[in-house]
Amino acid sequence: MARITASVYTSHVPAIGAAIDLGKTHEPYWQPVFKGYEYSRQWMTDNPPDVIFLVYNDHATAFSLDLIPTFAIGTAAEYQPADEGWGPRPVPVVKGHPELASHIAQSVIQQDFDLTIVNKMAVDHGLTVPLSLMCGELDPKKDAWPCPVIPFAVNVVQYPVPSGQRCFALGQAIRKAVESYDDDLNVHIWGTGGMSHQLQGARAGLINREWDNAWLDQMIADPAACAATPHIDYVREAGSEGIELVMWLIARGAMADVADKNHPISVRRRFYHVPASNTAVGHLILEN
Ligand code: DHB
Ligand code: FE
């Protein structure tokens, strides 16, 4: 059967993508950020998944105010990198896994989560920046991402947004779905976005290092309690865009210790850096 062996968590700051694409990763401002992911890129090479289930948010790129799915699963064969205003990022096309994605859609919808099924969608920095951080620089003409990706878009942009509790329960349903797939696939689940940042209004530029790190501690050690954090706490403490963190709870809910207390998980990597652009960068790798 397929199984989830690890989860990866990372911020998705678009300026990180631009720094990679414009060859600025060695500049003093960016060096500490990319250094923080060196271990993780090696870990990806040493622990290659067959499929990445990538939880992210679209930033009014594929969706607009015309159509606002709370949870959308990509079932397509491929996804083009989006043009976010400066042309599409020069990264490889993202190949999907329609068979596993369709199976997960069937299983998770039957577990009473109303997913939107998406057969055509461009993917923005929410998805491509985490891939670049973990997989390194790739030439779209010669290279491919290391494996197929199932994009799973969560609405954290337009209110009302889903609760951490619902995201955590959804992660548990995704785990059941993956484990009921017959093929022997090694699946990684990624939760992306965050940590504290606010891009708008009077508090633009807000970063809360203390709250972020306390949230990480609890998310690792007691995810059920962390999932009970009300959405207003994210907004108050981590800024309006800090709400992106509920997506991490989907990946956390899919981990082995949540399904079975006798199955401890291990923290393979933890990294935190302030700031990158307007955002506090947080990153974790958890293994089952
Ligand atoms: C920034 C962060 C984001 O999450 C985003 O979607 C856009 C911009 C930033 O820090 O600049
Ligand atoms: Fe964002």
Side-chain angles (χ1 to χ4, degrees):
M1 71 181 191
R3 71 229 175 276
I4 292 173
T5 58
S7 51
V8 173
Y9 308 79
T10 179
S11 305
H12 65 214
V13 185
I16 291 176
I20 296 171
D21 302 342
L22 301 172
K24 293 183 173 182
T25 58
H26 291 288
E27 289 186 358
Y29 181 84
W30 289 112
Q31 234 284 314
V33 176
F34 291 101
K35 203 162 167 38
Y37 285 83
E38 265 170 21
Y39 173 92
S40 308
R41 284 199 290 279
Q42 187 59 48
W43 177 87
M44 273 296 280
T45 308
D46 297 341
N47 299 274
D50 296 315
V51 184
I52 297 167
F53 189 93
L54 205 159
V55 180
Y56 76 108
N57 71 290
D58 177 77
H59 300 76
T61 303
F63 307 119
S64 70
L65 292 181
D66 289 350
L67 179 70
I68 309 165
T70 303
F71 298 118
I73 186 164
T75 45
E78 61 177 46
Y79 308 88
Q80 296 293 332
D83 184 343
E84 298 180 62
W86 289 272
R89 287 193 60 212
V91 292
V93 169
V94 177
K95 299 288 182 189
H97 198 303
E99 295 80 13
L100 179 60
S102 306
H103 171 84
I104 292 173
Q106 160 75 19
S107 169
V108 168
I109 289 170
Q110 285 299 317
Q111 292 177 70
D112 301 331
F113 290 89
D114 307 317
L115 308 185
T116 298
I117 292 161
V118 186
N119 287 315
K120 187 170 185 204
M121 170 166 77
V123 287
D124 71 11
H125 66 271
L127 184 129
T128 63
V129 166
L131 280 176
S132 291
L133 277 169
M134 294 298 293
C135 307
E137 215 169 312
L138 297 173
D139 179 345
K141 291 205 187 75
K142 297 200 301 257
D143 306 323
W145 298 111
C147 69
V149 174
I150 298 174
F152 190 91
V154 179
N155 169 41
V156 287
V157 168
Q158 177 61 38
Y159 276 77
V161 297
S163 69
Q165 199 84 63
R166 184 144 178 85
C167 289
F168 188 57
L170 174 58
Q172 294 170 59
I174 291 167
R175 178 182 179 81
K176 283 190 189 148
V178 169
E179 291 192 337
S180 63
Y181 190 69
D182 284 341
D183 285 3
D184 193 16
L185 294 176
N186 175 1
V187 180
H188 288 182
I189 183 164
W190 293 15
T192 64
M195 295 192 77
S196 57
H197 62 305
Q198 171 145 347
L199 303 176
Q200 56 198 310
R203 299 198 310 163
L206 178 144
I207 281 177
N208 189 342
R209 185 192 284 266
E210 215 174 23
W211 187 90
D212 283 345
N213 279 288
W215 188 86
L216 280 176
D217 291 342
Q218 191 185 43
M219 209 276 290
I220 295 166
D222 190 356
C226 184
T229 306
H231 97 271
I232 196 67
D233 285 18
Y234 289 92
V235 177
R236 190 182 292 124
E237 300 294 338
S240 52
E241 278 64 50
I243 192 67
E244 288 178 348
L245 282 172
V246 295
M247 295 185 289
W248 293 33
L249 288 163
I250 297 180
R252 187 66 184 89
M255 292 300 283
D257 61 332
V258 176
D260 176 358
K261 280 196 181 62
N262 300 318
H263 244 287
I265 55 151
S266 57
V267 180
R268 196 51 65 215
R269 177 74 179 146
R270 178 169 172 168
F271 173 66
Y272 185 81
H273 174 81
V274 169
S277 187
N278 302 291
T279 301
V281 169
H283 171 47
L284 281 179
I285 299 175
L286 305 182
E287 281 180 1
N288 278 335

